[in-house]
């Protein structure tokens, strides 16, 4: 018996009713969270996206028919209630926004009945995520998810507000397009009209936003869906959202300035967090040297120290061997961890090996100042105390050392530092530490392909002072590229773009693109540059990750209404799926037998 709403109009969301309304008649609508029949009096917790409100049904107020309906209620029924707001008759519930009031029902309609849900609709669900994702429409009723989705909407709105006030135009760019230069695999869409041809879904609006600059729109933004068919990883989504922007007639500082003010407004007005401006900046080289990472988590110390000079003549072959091969020896200090059980240390060694370490040397400083270490016997007393001093070692500290190529040492210690911090509970989610990482290398050498690749993308401007090294030492050239990092996560990144044809041609040459290759892929942008291009720069945020950090969640799936799982499928809709033979025929597509499971 689903009734209609005819003649009824909702006056309040559940938690919009407060003690200011006592004595008034209100109409509320929502889902039954819980209903308790105490014989002659029925208590119902009514839920909508704002929260809970207690309703009381007694036959004297709601009438015989109304009371019978109230008796019939079960969890997740959708109801409308008309009633009088009263002060709570029982104890005040401090945990509820509406804990000091209740609504005495004078009318009820059952708008919809409900099956028993496959899992309870409650905060901090213990239900397996797989089941929740299959019934995402129910999962999305849970208060924690509702808060996240509302936060997301709020942040999107604040972004639009701020950027519009700053003179940005919101402009849409196509979803059906040609390959973009972000370097991941494209999602392809077959064309029916042009059999054998494919659109690519955009990995980012990069080329279009640069075209918009050529067209004079001078400040663009878009909250844009992007698609990257990358390898499976637990916290990656094949489609994700960027806050994307591009500005003309600007340099690095201008982009940073407008984005710092955007972040400040966003954090203050959505989650009440004050960001102190200016945000700290660090060059890429310094970030690697001090933290072994291009996205350092600054919520704790444990910085890397280079001890190569101290150990260069020592008798420990692991150290000297790495140095002879041009590598380095670096260490970190886990303060106060000298008593770490052997089992935990072994686990850290195993962890380090996962990141390419051949081993991990360690040394603990006993309370009496003596050392316990696997490699002490290969070292002089002076070398040992110099090592300890370099890491500010004090009694009770535990020092770890890695010796290898720089790249491996950074990866190993950078990750070890994080793992130790996680184990020690040093990562406070309430603490928001921002950092700009600047002056990224322009290129990175790909061992597999035996050539340089653009670290950001091929349109990123080299730093003017490094331009003369581009032929001789391309790997040393720094770029006008920057990332914004929050608590060890890259939340956004961008660069100043190349707008001079000669530099762009040089860049393609270094990347090993012939003129024809470049024209084949990006010809329309290069053509546009022939007709008057302003200097321009931009940045894009990963909105999902940003909201995840703001919501203090561990997974981006918890801030996306309808996420996919690790294998890129959607448990709710069963996408991707096979299609009709007829659809394939129209597209001129035949499935190879080995792919046809
Ligand atoms: N398109 C770039 C990216 O997706 C961002 C930018 O350079 O603005 O990483």
């Amino acid at each position: 018996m689903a009734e209609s709403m005819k003649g009824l109009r909702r006056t309040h969301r559940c938690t919009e009713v407060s003690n200011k309304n006592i004595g008034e008649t209100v109409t509320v609508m929502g889902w039954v969270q819980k209903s308790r029949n105490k014989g002659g009096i029925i208590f119902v917790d009514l839920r909508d996206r704002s929260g809970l409100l207690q309703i009381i049904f007694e036959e004297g107020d709601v009438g015989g028919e109304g009371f019978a309906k109230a008796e019939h209620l079960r969890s997740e029924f959708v109801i409308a209630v008309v009633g009088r707001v009263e002060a709570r008759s029982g104890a005040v519930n401090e945990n509820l926004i509406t804990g000091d009031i209740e609504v005495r029902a004078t009318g009820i309609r059952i708008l919809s009945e409900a099956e028993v849900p496959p899992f309870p609709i409650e905060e901090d669900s213990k239900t397996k995520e797989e089941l929740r994702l299959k019934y995402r429409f129910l999962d999305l009723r849970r208060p924690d998810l509702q808060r996240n989705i509302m936060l997301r909407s709020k942040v999107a709105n604040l972004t639009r507000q701020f950027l519009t006030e700053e003179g940005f135009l919101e402009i849409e760019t196509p979803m059906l397009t040609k390959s973009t230069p972000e370097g991941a695999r494209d999602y392809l869409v077959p064309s029916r009209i042009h059999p054998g041809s494919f659109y690519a879904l955009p990995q980012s609006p990069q080329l279009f936003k640069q075209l918009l600059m050529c067209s004079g729109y001078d400040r663009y933004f878009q909250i844009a869906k992007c698609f990257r068919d990358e390898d499976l990883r637990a916290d990656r989504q094949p489609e994700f959202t960027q806050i994307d922007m591009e500005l003309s007639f600007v340099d690095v500082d201008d982009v940073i300035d407008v984005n710092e003010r955007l972040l400040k407004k966003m954090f203050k007005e959505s989650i009440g967090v004050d960001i102190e401006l200016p945000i700290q900046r660090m060059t890429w080289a310094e970030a690697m040297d001090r933290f072994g990472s291009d996205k350092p988590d600054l919520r704790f110390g444990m910085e890397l120290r280079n001890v190569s000079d101290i150990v260069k003549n020592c008798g420990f072959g692991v150290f000297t061997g790495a140095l002879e091969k041009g590598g380095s020896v670096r260490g970190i200090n886990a303060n106060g961890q000298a008593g770490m059980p052997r089992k935990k240390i072994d686990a850290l060694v195993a962890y380090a090996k996962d990141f390419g370490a051949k081993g991990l040397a360690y040394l603990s400083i006993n309370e009496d100042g003596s050392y316990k270490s696997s490699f002490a016997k290969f070292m002089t007393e002076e070398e040992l105390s110099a090592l300890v001093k370099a890491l500010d070692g004090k009694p009770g500290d535990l020092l770890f050392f890695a010796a290898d190529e720089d790249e491996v040492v950074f990866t190993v210690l950078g990750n070890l530092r994080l793992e130790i911090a996680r184990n020690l509970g040093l990562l406070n989610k309430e603490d928001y530490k921002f950092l700009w990482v600047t002056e990224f290398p322009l290129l990175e050498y790909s061992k597999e392909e035996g050539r340089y690749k653009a670290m950001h993308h091929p349109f990123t401007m080299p730093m003017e002072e490094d331009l003369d090294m581009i032929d001789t030492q391309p790997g040393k050239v720094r770029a006008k590229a920057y990332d914004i990092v929050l608590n060890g996560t890259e939340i956004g990144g961008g660069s100043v773009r190349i707008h001079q044809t000669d530099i762009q041609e040089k860049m393609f040459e270094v990347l090993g693109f012939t003129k024809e290759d470049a024209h084949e892929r990006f010809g329309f942008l290069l053509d546009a540059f022939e007709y008057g291009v302003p200097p321009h720069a931009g940045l894009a945020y990963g909105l999902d990750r940003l909201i995840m950090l703001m919501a203090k969640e561990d997974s981006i799936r918890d801030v996306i209404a309808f996420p996919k799982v690790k294998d890129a499928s959607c448990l709710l809709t069963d996408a991707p799926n096979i299609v009709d033979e007829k659809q394939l025929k129209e597209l001129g597509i035949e499935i190879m037998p080995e792919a046809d499971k």
Side-chain angles (χ1 to χ4, degrees):
M1 51 164 194
E3 298 176 86
S4 84
M5 276 194 25
K6 191 158 183 225
L8 278 191
R9 195 155 191 201
R10 180 166 75 164
T11 60
H12 297 79
R13 288 213 174 79
C14 288
T15 63
E16 286 165 4
V17 184
S18 75
N19 54 22
K20 293 197 188 70
N21 304 105
I22 288 174
E24 291 173 21
T25 295
V26 297
T27 303
V28 287
M29 302 182 187
W31 287 257
V32 172
Q33 177 70 29
K34 201 161 71 185
S35 129
R36 293 164 312 244
N37 192 335
K38 295 270 162 90
I41 176 161
I42 295 169
F43 294 89
V44 165
D45 288 338
L46 187 69
R47 186 193 72 235
D48 64 18
R49 73 175 213 213
S50 73
L52 297 176
L53 175 64
Q54 176 161 289
I55 317 284
I56 285 196
F57 294 90
E58 281 190 89
E59 192 161 353
D61 308 303
V62 75
E65 199 188 320
F67 194 75
K69 282 188 206 167
E71 281 183 312
H72 179 66
L73 294 180
R74 277 200 327 245
S75 288
E76 302 311 315
F77 276 35
V78 183
I79 61 173
V81 173
V82 181
R84 261 190 333 273
V85 184
E86 297 181 345
R88 272 256 169 140
S89 46
V92 167
N93 183 344
E94 303 282 353
N95 298 326
L96 281 190
I97 305 175
T98 57
D100 59 344
I101 53 163
E102 57 203 11
V103 169
R104 180 164 289 276
T106 54
I108 172 173
R109 285 192 209 170
I110 295 179
L111 303 176
S112 162
E113 298 190 341
E115 298 286 334
V116 177
F119 53 86
I121 308 301
E122 62 189 5
E123 187 114 21
D124 295 324
S125 180
K126 302 275 177 298
T127 306
K128 276 226 315 252
E129 193 185 19
E130 235 166 74
L131 185 66
R132 289 193 286 109
L133 286 174
K134 181 163 157 60
Y135 293 92
R136 187 63 162 179
F137 49 90
L138 293 178
D139 198 28
L140 282 168
R141 289 183 190 174
R142 296 189 309 107
D144 25 8
L145 276 185
Q146 293 201 326
R147 272 198 303 273
N148 293 350
I149 300 298
M150 288 191 278
L151 171 65
R152 188 177 174 121
S153 166
K154 174 108 204 188
V155 170
N157 267 310
L158 289 168
T159 302
R160 290 201 161 92
Q161 236 179 56
F162 175 85
L163 291 176
T164 306
E165 276 164 20
E166 292 284 323
F168 285 76
L169 300 170
E170 183 168 4
I171 305 175
E172 288 162 83
T173 53
M175 287 287 114
L176 295 178
T177 176
K178 223 180 134 177
S179 199
T180 32
E182 306 296 346
R185 201 176 289 111
D186 287 318
Y187 274 99
L188 298 176
V189 178
S191 161
R192 180 180 57 84
I193 313 278
H194 306 277
S197 287
F198 294 81
Y199 301 97
L201 298 179
Q203 294 186 32
S204 80
Q206 186 63 34
L207 298 173
F208 288 103
K209 69 176 175 172
Q210 291 196 240
L211 286 174
L212 287 169
M213 295 304 107
C214 293
S215 305
Y217 290 93
D218 85 27
R219 287 186 160 209
Y220 138 97
F221 85 98
Q222 181 179 197
I223 298 183
K225 264 303 176 75
C226 304
F227 306 83
R228 296 184 191 177
D229 189 3
E230 291 181 291
D231 288 336
L232 309 179
R233 253 212 238 151
D235 214 27
R236 205 177 249 173
Q237 291 285 317
E239 56 178 300
F240 60 97
T241 307
Q242 286 188 342
I243 300 173
D244 188 46
M245 67 181 76
E246 193 76 11
L247 304 80
S248 289
F249 309 115
V250 293
D251 211 327
V252 176
D253 284 340
D254 305 288
V255 179
I256 286 187
D257 166 64
V258 80
N259 278 285
E260 289 191 344
R261 289 182 295 113
L262 167 62
L263 285 167
K264 188 170 178 78
K265 180 183 174 84
M266 218 187 238
F267 273 74
K268 182 70 192 170
E269 292 179 30
S270 65
I271 56 171
V273 166
D274 275 303
I275 306 178
E276 210 185 298
L277 299 188
I279 289 171
Q280 188 183 342
R281 296 191 201 180
M282 197 181 283
T283 64
W284 178 88
E286 183 182 347
M288 296 307 287
D289 191 53
R290 288 175 56 192
F291 299 95
S293 165
D294 59 4
K295 41 179 191 296
D297 192 329
L298 298 187
R299 284 175 295 177
F300 65 102
M302 227 191 289
E303 295 189 17
L304 278 59
R305 296 284 159 81
N306 191 341
V307 296
S308 304
D309 275 346
I310 298 172
V311 301
K312 64 174 184 270
N313 297 317
C314 77
F316 187 32
V318 172
F319 286 175
T320 49
L323 294 176
E324 276 153 25
K325 288 200 197 105
S328 62
V329 183
R330 289 166 206 257
I332 55 172
N333 182 347
N335 288 122
Q337 294 305 306
M340 188 182 286
R342 184 58 198 258
K343 242 172 108 180
K344 282 207 171 147
I345 295 183
D346 287 345
L348 289 176
V349 175
Y351 184 81
K353 284 186 177 161
D354 283 345
F355 288 96
K358 290 183 205 76
L360 199 60
Y362 53 90
L363 178 149
S364 54
I365 310 173
N366 301 323
E367 287 305 333
D368 64 4
S370 64
Y371 308 136
K372 198 167 94 213
S373 137
S374 47
F375 60 85
K377 56 176 178 273
F378 303 109
M379 300 234 176
T380 65
E381 207 47 52
E382 291 74 51
E383 281 164 346
L384 280 176
S385 54
L387 259 192
V388 168
K389 186 152 168 257
L391 283 142
D392 298 324
K394 287 176 297 302
D397 287 351
L398 175 61
L399 317 181
F400 289 99
F401 299 92
D404 214 311
E405 293 168 33
D406 281 346
E407 213 177 301
V408 177
V409 170
F410 287 143
T411 312
V412 167
L413 292 182
N415 282 294
L416 190 69
R417 178 182 169 267
L418 283 176
E419 177 72 0
I420 295 173
R422 264 191 297 270
N423 292 347
L424 297 178
L426 299 181
L427 304 181
N428 178 2
K429 283 187 183 160
E430 309 279 333
D431 193 10
Y432 290 94
K433 286 280 194 291
F434 289 86
L435 173 72
W436 288 105
V437 178
T438 61
E439 302 181 15
F440 273 77
L442 180 69
L443 303 161
E444 104 194 289
Y445 193 75
S446 159
K447 280 186 192 153
E448 300 100 76
E449 294 179 42
R451 66 172 185 102
Y452 281 104
K453 294 176 98 167
M455 190 134 171
H456 189 213
H457 50 56
F459 307 107
T460 296
M461 180 66 190
M463 284 178 62
E464 280 90 357
E465 49 270 60
D466 291 354
L467 271 174
D468 54 354
M469 291 193 292
I470 201 152
D471 287 311
T472 50
Q473 292 176 288
K476 285 238 163 75
V477 176
R478 293 164 300 166
K480 286 192 163 184
Y482 33 78
D483 275 359
I484 176 77
V485 173
L486 170 55
N487 292 354
T489 300
E490 177 213 323
I491 55 170
S495 60
V496 174
R497 324 300 182 190
I498 301 172
H499 78 284
Q500 301 98 315
T501 318
D502 52 336
I503 302 179
Q504 188 65 68
E505 281 173 359
K506 182 97 253 159
M507 182 71 178
F508 284 140
E509 185 190 313
V510 177
L511 294 173
F513 289 7
T514 62
K515 270 213 163 107
E516 291 71 41
D517 293 339
H519 258 270
E520 169 78 22
R521 287 192 62 193
F522 314 120
F524 57 96
L525 184 68
L526 302 177
D527 288 347
F529 279 18
E530 304 276 318
Y531 292 91
V533 48
H536 56 291
L539 180 139
Y541 294 90
L543 181 63
D544 310 287
R545 275 194 252 170
L546 178 64
I547 303 294
M548 175 184 88
L549 295 175
M550 291 177 121
K552 305 183 186 69
E553 294 287 1
D554 294 316
S555 161
I556 56 173
R557 292 187 297 279
D558 290 332
V559 299
I560 298 173
F562 299 105
K564 296 188 172 55
V565 291
K566 190 177 160 190
D567 72 358
S569 65
C570 169
L571 300 181
L572 173 73
T573 61
D574 268 340
N577 219 315
I578 50 168
V579 295
D580 285 347
E581 200 57 46
K582 181 165 164 275
Q583 285 175 295
L584 287 179
K585 247 210 188 99
E586 278 176 347
L587 295 168
I589 289 181
E590 208 175 335
I591 307 296
M592 292 193 299
E594 59 270 31
D596 193 2
K597 285 192 242 92

